[in-house]
């Protein structure tokens, strides 16, 4: 039996995106497997409260204070006192902090790269037994192309537990948002930002709205900057105000997926695609841009569709699925099977644990 580890996770973003939730889920699962886990994170209420509920020690701090020098001292002090087996950083600022503490206290460092990055730090942390986790083969290729040693990189896909959740009530979703009961929902899940392709989704939907009058487009995700307001204005100009629903940020995304026919993701780039595997885990196919790591998740024509990032291509694919419920059902079943075979949280945690033992020279 492998020894239990003491792990310090550091995450530097204060958003509510994939990396922050990944850190939280990982901390909980590692603790459940008997490891001792502590987390350094920005002072954000939702994460501190979630960690407290799981009895996981949390060290909130402003990682930009004093140009980062204050955080360096604080993290170093935590590592010095903690007797940790390793440090696991998420995102670049956390990796700079973790790398300094790792070098000073001779504690192995594991760093997960969640997004495409040009930060030079990743080229310089692969000394000793330190490891880098790439969330997809696409990110592995990006890192290798920017000078990171390939043999220091492990690919570990993100996982989801959405396949294990109870089935939601689609009628209740329609009722909650005032959507006529007979409407078929097509959703885009992700923060409302230009790079996620909401404008392409809206143009595609406008192209088919008249021929498919029983459809409703649903945008699920938090708003960022001026873009959401501009998008709402465009919805009104197109005369689709009663056909497009904005839900805002939600904690019940699995329930919303259950109410959808399928989801779409006309994104400019995707380093992994957590919303994609979450949708597939609920037995729903995804129409996505043929970019980044999405081809590692979706098998075109089998459990979803991969298309060019144009409104015409998305409209064509959406028409194909809206016209063929049998195809949607078949793709959805195969999508769920793929997630259960390759993209569960349990599989992710076991693979990360194996990287830990390698970094700690215990495996």
């Amino acid at each position: 039996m492998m020894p239990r580890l003491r792990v310090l996770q550091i995450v530097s973003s204060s958003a509510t995106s994939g990396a922050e939730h990944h850190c939280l889920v990982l901390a909980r699962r590692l603790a459940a497997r008997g490891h001792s886990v502590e987390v350094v994170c920005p002072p954000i209420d939702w994460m501190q409260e979630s960690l407290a509920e799981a009895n996981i020690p949390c060290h909130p701090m402003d990682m930009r204070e004093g140009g980062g020098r204050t955080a360096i001292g604080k993290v170093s002090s935590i590592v010095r006192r903690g007797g940790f087996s390793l440090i696991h950083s998420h995102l670049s600022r956390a990796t700079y902090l973790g790398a300094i503490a790792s070098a000073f206290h001779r504690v192995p460092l594991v760093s997960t790269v969640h997004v495409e990055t040009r930060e030079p730090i990743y080229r310089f942390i692969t000394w000793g037994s330190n490891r880098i986790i790439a969330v997809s083969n696409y990110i592995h290729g990006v890192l290798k192309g920017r000078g990171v040693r390939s043999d220091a990189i492990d690919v570990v896909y993100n996982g989801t537990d959405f396949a294990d959740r109870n089935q939601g009530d689609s009628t209740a979703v329609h009722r909650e948002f005032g959507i006529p009961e007979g409407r078929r929902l097509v959703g885009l899940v992700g923060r409302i930002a230009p790079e996620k392709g909401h404008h392409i989704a809206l143009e595609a939907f406008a192209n088919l709205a008249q021929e498919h009058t029983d459809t409703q487009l649903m945008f699920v995700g938090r708003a960022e900057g001026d873009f959401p307001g501009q998008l709402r204005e465009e919805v009104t100009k197109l005369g689709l105000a009663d056909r497009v629903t904005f839900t805002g940020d939600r904690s019940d995304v699995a329930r919303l997926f259950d109410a959808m026919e399928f989801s779409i993701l006309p994104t400019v780039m995707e380093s992994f695609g957590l919303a994609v595997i979450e949708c597939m885990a609920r037995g729903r196919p995804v129409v996505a841009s043929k970019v980044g790591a999405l081809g590692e998740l979706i098998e075109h024509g089998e459990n979803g569709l991969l298309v060019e990032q144009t409104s015409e291509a998305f409209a064509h694919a959406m028409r194909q699925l809206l016209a063929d419920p049998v195809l949607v059902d078949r793709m959805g079943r195969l999508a769920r099977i793929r997630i259960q075979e390759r993209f569960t949280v349990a599989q992710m945690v076991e693979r990360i644990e194996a990287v830990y033992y390698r970094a700690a020279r215990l495996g």
Side-chain angles (χ1 to χ4, degrees):
M1 183 175 179
M2 298 299 287
R4 301 308 181 195
L5 303 172
R6 281 187 54 74
V7 180
L8 179 67
Q9 289 202 85
I10 309 174
V11 61
S12 50
S13 171
S14 58
T16 55
S17 299
E20 302 76 35
H21 284 287
H22 171 89
C23 178
L24 177 60
V25 169
L26 182 58
R28 287 171 173 164
R29 292 293 183 114
L30 288 170
R33 291 171 71 86
H35 301 293
S36 175
V37 185
E38 298 184 23
V39 176
V40 173
C41 65
I44 44 179
D45 291 342
W46 71 267
M47 194 159 193
Q48 293 178 67
E49 291 166 2
S50 298
L51 290 166
E53 289 172 4
N55 294 314
I56 295 171
C58 176
H59 306 275
M61 67 179 69
D62 181 351
M63 298 185 193
R64 298 176 183 273
E65 184 181 354
R69 291 185 296 276
T70 302
I72 289 171
K74 288 181 178 179
V75 171
S76 181
S77 178
I78 293 167
V79 173
R80 184 180 67 250
R81 297 193 312 266
F84 294 101
S85 309
L86 59 91
I87 300 166
H88 185 177
S89 64
H90 304 267
L91 305 173
S92 296
R93 183 174 294 272
T95 299
Y96 281 102
L97 293 172
I100 293 170
S102 168
F104 192 75
H105 297 288
R106 297 186 179 278
V107 177
L109 175 67
V110 173
S111 177
T112 293
V113 180
H114 294 270
V115 296
E116 187 172 353
T117 176
R118 296 183 178 275
E119 290 288 343
I121 185 64
Y122 299 104
R123 295 201 305 272
F124 303 114
I125 61 173
T126 55
W127 49 269
S129 62
N130 292 354
R131 308 295 302 169
I132 293 176
I133 294 175
V135 297
S136 63
N137 286 313
Y138 171 75
I139 290 296
H140 182 288
V142 168
L143 291 169
K144 183 179 177 182
R146 291 179 181 158
V148 180
R149 283 177 33 227
S150 182
D151 64 350
I153 306 170
D154 298 288
V155 175
V156 178
Y157 289 123
N158 290 327
T160 178
D161 63 357
F162 271 29
D164 303 326
R165 303 193 184 187
N166 293 331
Q167 183 71 23
D169 182 353
S170 61
T171 301
V173 171
H174 281 74
R175 190 164 53 246
E176 177 182 350
F177 293 101
I179 300 170
E181 191 172 329
R183 292 265 173 94
R184 295 191 289 170
L185 302 185
V186 175
L188 195 170
V189 177
R191 56 192 171 82
I192 301 179
E195 61 270 21
K196 290 296 182 181
H198 290 75
H199 57 294
I200 290 177
L202 182 58
E203 289 174 10
F205 183 70
N207 286 340
L208 56 81
Q210 292 305 312
E211 62 194 272
H212 290 283
T213 57
D214 62 342
T215 57
Q216 184 88 9
L217 182 60
M218 177 176 278
F219 290 142
V220 182
R222 73 179 190 276
E224 287 191 357
D226 298 329
F227 179 70
Q230 298 167 5
L231 190 65
R232 286 179 181 272
E233 289 178 7
E234 188 61 25
V235 168
T236 301
K237 286 179 184 176
L238 290 169
L240 295 172
D242 64 335
R243 301 281 301 280
V244 179
T245 299
F246 291 80
T247 73
D249 201 10
R250 303 285 297 198
S251 61
D252 60 346
V253 175
R255 170 176 170 258
L256 300 184
F257 277 134
D258 289 345
M260 298 175 192
E261 299 284 310
F262 55 89
S263 75
I264 58 175
L265 187 61
T267 182
V268 172
M269 181 50 61
E270 204 70 31
S271 299
F272 178 72
L274 186 59
V276 170
I277 65 168
E278 289 175 343
C279 181
M280 292 170 69
R282 300 310 293 175
R284 302 293 187 270
V286 181
V287 179
S289 304
K290 197 187 302 182
V291 297
L294 295 181
E296 299 174 47
L297 313 180
I298 299 169
E299 297 173 287
H300 178 69
E302 291 295 315
N303 52 33
L305 296 173
L306 292 167
V307 301
E308 298 299 324
Q309 200 220 11
T310 66
S311 59
E312 294 80 10
F314 270 85
H316 177 76
M318 291 162 68
R319 282 190 180 94
Q320 182 180 351
L321 295 187
L322 288 169
D324 195 343
V326 174
L327 176 63
V328 170
D329 182 67
R330 180 179 67 80
M331 283 186 169
R333 283 186 283 108
L334 292 174
R336 185 181 177 91
I337 290 170
R338 182 163 175 81
I339 298 309
Q340 291 172 323
E341 288 178 347
R342 298 190 62 185
F343 298 100
T344 67
V345 170
Q347 290 166 330
M348 176 191 79
V349 174
E350 287 179 3
R351 290 164 186 159
I352 290 176
E353 190 180 60
V355 176
Y356 285 177
Y357 286 127
R358 190 173 179 186
R361 293 191 166 123
L362 296 171

